[in-house]
């Protein structure tokens, strides 16, 4: 990936390198990674250039901030080769399947009994109630993402900058081969399909990614959870326990003005 030819003059990247996926034949390099944390304001500039460059910026938090290996990023613990395409998945079908899986009760294998399992999704039942309706953005989606990028860096000072050649932030997760939700769904493209829908209906933007965490800004938050279901299944919602797999999701702003996820 020739980064310099994609970016405008005057936009200087910090030192970094292309990362080779440890899976496959060692020929796939899905991600450029900086050698050190990025400077303030660089993420918004790169985000603003995405339409022209085709490079989506990600703030990548290491599993252990004191580990020089910067797992999973610098070690190439990525699997782009085995991911399908987000376009192959209908987000409503994916959500309905996740809902069914999450609400199913099995007293022998489940960590929660039937009552506690259903309490997580109350007042809804085991039948998928459909997605939350689209709402009007409170702020510009890109401006909200730019604000959150600085918040993320303040909270994760050891985060590195990643660049992925992807048409949108949702797809960058699949293109990079992120394995965060591997214990829940082995194909990250299903999450990207849902996030595409979030981008369109709620002004969501993918800002930061951790070993098993996903960090989004949301400009048009869904309505109160007591009236409308979350657009992501409870097991990946920041307000519900993750009992089925990795990859909890954090959204920004954290305290909705008139709504909640």
């Amino acid at each position: 990936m020739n980064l310099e030819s994609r970016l405008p003059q005057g936009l200087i990247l910090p030192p970094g390198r292309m990362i080779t996926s440890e899976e496959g034949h060692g020929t796939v390099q899905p991600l450029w990674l900086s050698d050190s944390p990025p400077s303030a304001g660089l993420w918004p500039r790169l985000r603003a250039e995405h339409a022209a460059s085709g490079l989506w910026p990600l703030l990548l938090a290491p599993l252990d901030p004191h580990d020089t290996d910067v797992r999973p990023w610098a070690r190439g613990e990525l699997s782009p080769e085995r991911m399908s395409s987000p376009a192959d998945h209908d987000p409503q079908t994916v959500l309905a399947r996740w809902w069914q899986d999450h609400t199913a009760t099995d007293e022998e294998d489940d960590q929660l009994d039937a009552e506690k399992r259903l309490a997580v999704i109350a007042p809804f039942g085991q039948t998928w109630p459909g997605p939350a309706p689209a709402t009007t953005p409170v702020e510009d989606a890109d401006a909200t993402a730019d604000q959150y990028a600085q918040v993320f860096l303040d909270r994760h000072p050891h985060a590195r900058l990643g660049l992925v050649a992807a048409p949108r932030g949702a797809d960058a997760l699949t293109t990079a081969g992120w394995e965060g939700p591997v214990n829940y769904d082995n194909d990250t493209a299903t999450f990207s399909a849902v996030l595409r829908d979030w981008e369109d209906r709620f002004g969501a933007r993918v800002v930061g990614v951790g070993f098993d965490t996903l960090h989004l800004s949301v400009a048009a938050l869904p309505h109160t959870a007591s009236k409308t279901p979350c657009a992501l299944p409870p097991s990946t919602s920041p307000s519900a326990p993750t009992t089925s797999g990795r990859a909890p999701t954090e959204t920004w702003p954290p305290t909705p003005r008139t709504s909640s996820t």
Side-chain angles (χ1 to χ4, degrees):
M1 188 184 340
N2 189 338
L3 300 179
E4 289 74 13
S5 65
R6 292 182 175 227
L7 298 173
Q9 287 186 327
L11 205 168
I12 307 300
L13 293 175
R17 61 189 174 93
M18 295 299 301
I19 300 299
T20 301
S21 166
E22 67 176 6
E23 291 203 3
H25 302 290
T27 59
V28 178
Q29 295 183 314
L31 172 74
W32 178 90
L33 181 71
S34 66
D35 293 336
S36 59
S39 60
L42 182 56
W43 193 94
R45 290 192 65 191
L46 290 165
R47 194 274 312 151
E49 291 294 334
H50 171 259
S53 70
L55 300 173
W56 186 262
L58 295 172
L59 297 175
L60 304 174
L63 177 63
D64 180 350
H66 305 294
D67 185 358
T68 57
D69 285 343
V70 195
R71 294 186 60 198
W73 317 111
R75 288 180 52 171
E77 296 176 44
L78 307 166
S79 301
E81 300 95 327
R82 66 177 175 82
M83 305 301 177
S84 63
S85 169
D88 294 339
H89 307 278
D90 173 68
Q92 305 310 324
T93 302
V94 171
L95 287 169
R97 174 170 58 83
W98 285 348
W99 188 274
Q100 182 180 23
D101 292 345
H102 185 79
T103 59
T105 57
D106 186 333
E107 294 184 0
E108 293 184 2
D109 296 332
D110 204 341
Q111 299 177 38
L112 300 177
D113 59 33
E115 182 179 356
K116 291 180 179 179
R117 168 66 63 184
L118 295 177
V120 172
I121 57 167
F124 306 101
Q126 290 179 294
T127 301
W128 165 237
T135 52
T136 303
V138 176
E139 297 180 2
D140 177 77
D142 292 329
T144 302
D146 293 346
Q147 294 169 17
Y148 180 50
Q150 186 56 55
V151 171
F152 184 88
L153 285 172
D154 291 342
R155 294 176 178 175
H156 304 272
H158 298 280
R160 303 291 182 88
L161 173 67
L163 290 175
V164 181
R168 54 200 301 172
D171 291 15
L173 300 174
T174 297
T175 301
W178 178 57
E179 296 183 315
V182 67
N183 292 337
Y184 189 82
D185 192 320
N186 289 329
D187 189 357
T188 302
T190 59
F191 285 81
S192 291
V194 172
L195 289 170
R196 281 182 171 190
D197 187 54
W198 266 38
E199 289 174 340
D200 295 339
R201 296 194 300 121
F202 302 121
R205 297 292 183 268
V206 177
V207 176
V209 191
F211 181 82
D212 56 3
T213 56
L214 177 60
H215 305 261
L216 313 174
S217 64
V218 183
L221 290 156
H223 293 163
T224 304
S226 62
K227 298 180 181 179
T228 308
C230 297
L232 284 179
S235 62
T236 60
S237 166
S239 59
T242 302
T243 59
S244 300
R246 291 158 43 181
T249 305
E250 176 186 73
T251 58
W252 174 268
T255 306
R257 296 174 177 80
T258 59
S259 56
S260 173
T261 51

